[in-house]
Amino acid sequence: MTQALSRLDGQAGARRHFRYFDYLMAAFVAILLLSNLIGASKLATVQGFTFGAGILFFPISYVLGDVLTEVYGYANARRCVWTGFAALLFMAFMSFVVVAMPPAAGWDGQAAYESVFGNTWRIVAASVLAFWAGEFVNSFVMARMKLLTGGRHLWSRTIGSTVFGQAVDSLIFYPIAFFGIWSTQQVLTVMVTNWLLKVLWEALLTPVTYAVVGWFKAREGVDVFDDGTDFSPFAKADAV
């Protein structure tokens, strides 16, 4: 027998302690950092399609972002975005410091180390800004569409929020990071291709999203609707 879920408004959801929220936030931040560190600046071509290699794993963070907003509400998702934002800034700072330190005598890995971890300020700035803006747009659209649909048609919210969130992400990241480094045609091609692939990824992962959302809702016993939520990225909502 399916357990009935208690409906919470956004403010009550922000103040409630949830059993699995911290684990999801940790997974969200870990995937965010790894996808930006490992795959953000590599171009790959498979079967004639050119795309950023990070596309293979970064959409998982968007799926988790959808789950966080759908299950725990916008205010809790906002905490995750700010946590991810701070983690990205620290990763950028640590990379800069470690790469800049003089290598020890006899260690010949500096050039390779710089190639892997020595992203330019443009890529770092583009990654941080694109994540911040794109994730907030994604979460906002997700939460507002949940109210408009009365909690029905989850697929429309996950795909719709990705269309807008990833559009903002791509429009910020690729021009800031690569205009003047790649050709204009490359920037536009990769920007559009990655946006389409991310939306396609989201659509393909819809059954997974349904399963994960259902699992967490059943175990938390609640369904959060963002009635009365302050959607400003800078609003504060105390949680216990």
Side-chain angles (χ1 to χ4, degrees):
M1 182 175 179
T2 303
Q3 178 184 358
L5 301 178
S6 300
R7 174 165 174 157
L8 296 181
D9 64 29
Q11 294 182 7
R15 294 181 176 91
R16 185 180 179 117
H17 176 74
F18 292 102
R19 182 178 180 183
Y20 294 101
F21 172 75
D22 291 339
Y23 299 110
L24 267 180
M25 181 166 66
F28 174 80
V29 174
I31 293 170
L32 170 69
L33 293 179
L34 291 172
S35 60
N36 275 276
L37 182 66
I38 297 172
S41 60
K42 179 177 179 177
L43 279 177
T45 300
V46 178
Q47 298 295 319
F49 291 97
T50 300
F51 53 90
I55 185 67
L56 295 176
F57 298 99
F58 185 73
I60 299 174
S61 70
Y62 261 71
V63 172
L64 291 180
D66 288 344
V67 173
L68 285 163
T69 303
E70 174 68 22
V71 177
Y72 299 104
Y74 179 87
N76 284 308
R78 177 170 54 209
R79 291 171 56 199
C80 293
V81 175
W82 279 112
T83 302
F85 180 77
L88 280 176
L89 289 178
F90 179 76
M91 183 182 74
F93 172 73
M94 181 174 175
S95 297
F96 172 78
V97 171
V98 173
V99 169
M101 293 178 68
W107 187 69
D108 59 358
Q110 182 66 16
Y113 203 86
E114 289 179 2
S115 175
V116 175
F117 297 106
N119 286 331
T120 67
W121 69 267
R122 288 180 57 177
I123 293 178
V124 172
S127 296
V128 172
L129 291 174
F131 162 77
W132 186 88
E135 195 62 46
F136 270 121
V137 168
N138 184 83
S139 187
F140 172 78
V141 172
M142 185 85 179
R144 294 296 297 174
M145 287 186 68
K146 185 173 184 178
L147 292 175
L148 291 173
T149 61
R152 300 181 300 275
H153 311 307
L154 175 60
W155 62 268
S156 68
R157 302 196 294 280
T158 59
I159 297 174
S161 62
T162 299
V163 167
F164 289 98
Q166 288 291 351
V168 171
D169 185 291
S170 295
L171 283 169
I172 292 175
F173 177 75
Y174 289 101
I176 293 177
F178 298 117
F179 260 142
I181 299 174
W182 298 350
S183 69
T184 300
Q185 183 63 41
Q186 278 184 314
V187 171
L188 294 176
T189 297
V190 174
M191 182 170 64
V192 173
T193 301
N194 273 22
W195 174 70
L196 289 173
L197 286 173
K198 288 175 182 178
V199 174
L200 178 60
W201 258 116
E202 183 70 56
L204 291 174
L205 290 172
T206 295
V208 177
T209 305
Y210 265 83
V212 174
V213 165
W215 192 91
F216 280 105
K217 282 186 178 180
R219 279 148 185 81
E220 302 289 9
V222 300
D223 199 2
V224 179
F225 286 76
D226 282 293
D227 304 285
T229 296
D230 184 346
F231 287 103
S232 168
F234 306 101
K236 293 182 179 179
D238 295 331
V240 295

